[in-house]
Structure formats: structure tokens, C-alpha cells
Amino acid sequence: MIDLAAQARIVLHQAFFGGLAAAGFGVLFNFGPRSLALCAGAGAFALAVRTLGLDANWTLEAATFVAALATASVAMIGLRGIGAAAQAIALAGCIPMVPGAFLNEALLGFFTISASEAVNAEAAILPSLQAMLRFIFTLGAIGAGLAIPSHLARHRGF
């Protein structure tokens, strides 16, 4: 059992580097200095929520969905005055949650299988497919989590 102080350090570690990565993506998106700070905040929030979900034994996909949904909701409510830029800031905050390790594992496995002299292709195909599916589902969770709040905000019935 991990103690509360250690868990807080893990969450703060993930939040710090999530914020740093999100600010980096904000630079790539050519955001201004104020928006970069908001991107860093969104990234820190997203990674903190995902880390807490993973600590609660949620799947990566579920924790990522909830983190993206919470980040987009907070951005839309807290940054209501800046319009569509709030969605772009939420997107930049969620990009650090993209599981590149799963995509890397899947592609390397597929390259191994597609070699002219593939050895143990049957053994490599299942882990490659699992990694690709986890990547796709996590990416879909991010997309759905980002899209739901903006979709609901456009309809007066909600």
C-alpha cells in the first residue's frame, strides 16, 4: 500500500511534466504567452486527473477519458470569455496523454511480422494488436472527452 505523501508526489510529478509538455505543444501551436500558461495548467490538470484515475485502478482508457472530459469541461467553464480558444487550450492540455509507447510497440511488432523472414510471427501478432487497440481506444477516449462538453454546450436543452 502506497502512503498518501508518496501518492501526492507521484501526482505532482505527473502534473508538472504534463504541464511542461502541454506548454511545449502550445508553442508548436503558436499560442501567446498567456495561452501558454493556460496550456500548462490544462496539461497539469489532465495528467493529475488521469494519474488519480490510474491510482484508483481504472483502465488507462477510462482514466484518460475522464481526464479529457474534466479538462475540456473546466476549460469551457473557466475560459468562457475566450471562445473557441478554450477548446484549443484543452486540446493542448490533453496531447501529453497520447500513449506513444503503445503505438511504438505496435508498429515495431508489425514491422517484425512483415519482415521477409519473420520468426515467430504468430507470437508477435497478438501483443502488437493489443498495443494498437490500446492506442486507438485511448486516442478515442481523448477525442470523446474533448468533444462531449463542446457538443453539450451548443445545445440549450442541456
Side-chain angles (χ1 to χ4, degrees):
M1 177 89 183
I2 192 166
D3 67 344
L4 194 57
Q7 185 176 11
R9 281 193 301 275
I10 291 169
V11 171
L12 287 174
H13 172 86
Q14 290 293 322
F16 175 77
F17 286 106
L20 189 64
F25 284 110
V27 169
L28 291 175
F29 294 163
N30 203 23
F31 287 157
R34 179 174 174 261
S35 296
L36 288 179
L38 294 172
C39 287
F45 180 72
L47 267 289
V49 171
R50 185 178 80 168
T51 302
L52 290 172
L54 291 173
D55 286 347
N57 292 324
W58 295 356
T59 64
L60 175 66
E61 297 83 2
T64 302
F65 171 74
V66 170
L69 183 67
T71 302
S73 298
V74 168
M76 288 190 64
I77 293 168
L79 304 174
R80 191 175 312 134
I82 64 173
Q87 293 173 340
I89 288 169
L91 172 65
C94 289
I95 289 177
M97 294 192 297
V98 173
F102 284 129
L103 181 61
N104 182 49
E105 181 183 341
L107 292 178
L108 289 177
F110 292 145
F111 288 147
T112 301
I113 294 166
S114 65
S116 60
E117 296 178 18
V119 178
N120 278 340
E122 295 81 16
I125 205 162
L126 186 60
S128 300
L129 287 173
Q130 286 175 329
M132 182 58 82
L133 286 173
R134 296 227 34 212
F135 171 76
I136 290 169
F137 291 151
T138 305
L139 206 58
I142 292 171
L146 288 171
I148 289 172
S150 65
H151 179 72
L152 292 178
R154 286 189 217 141
H155 298 286
R156 297 250 181 236
F158 291 103

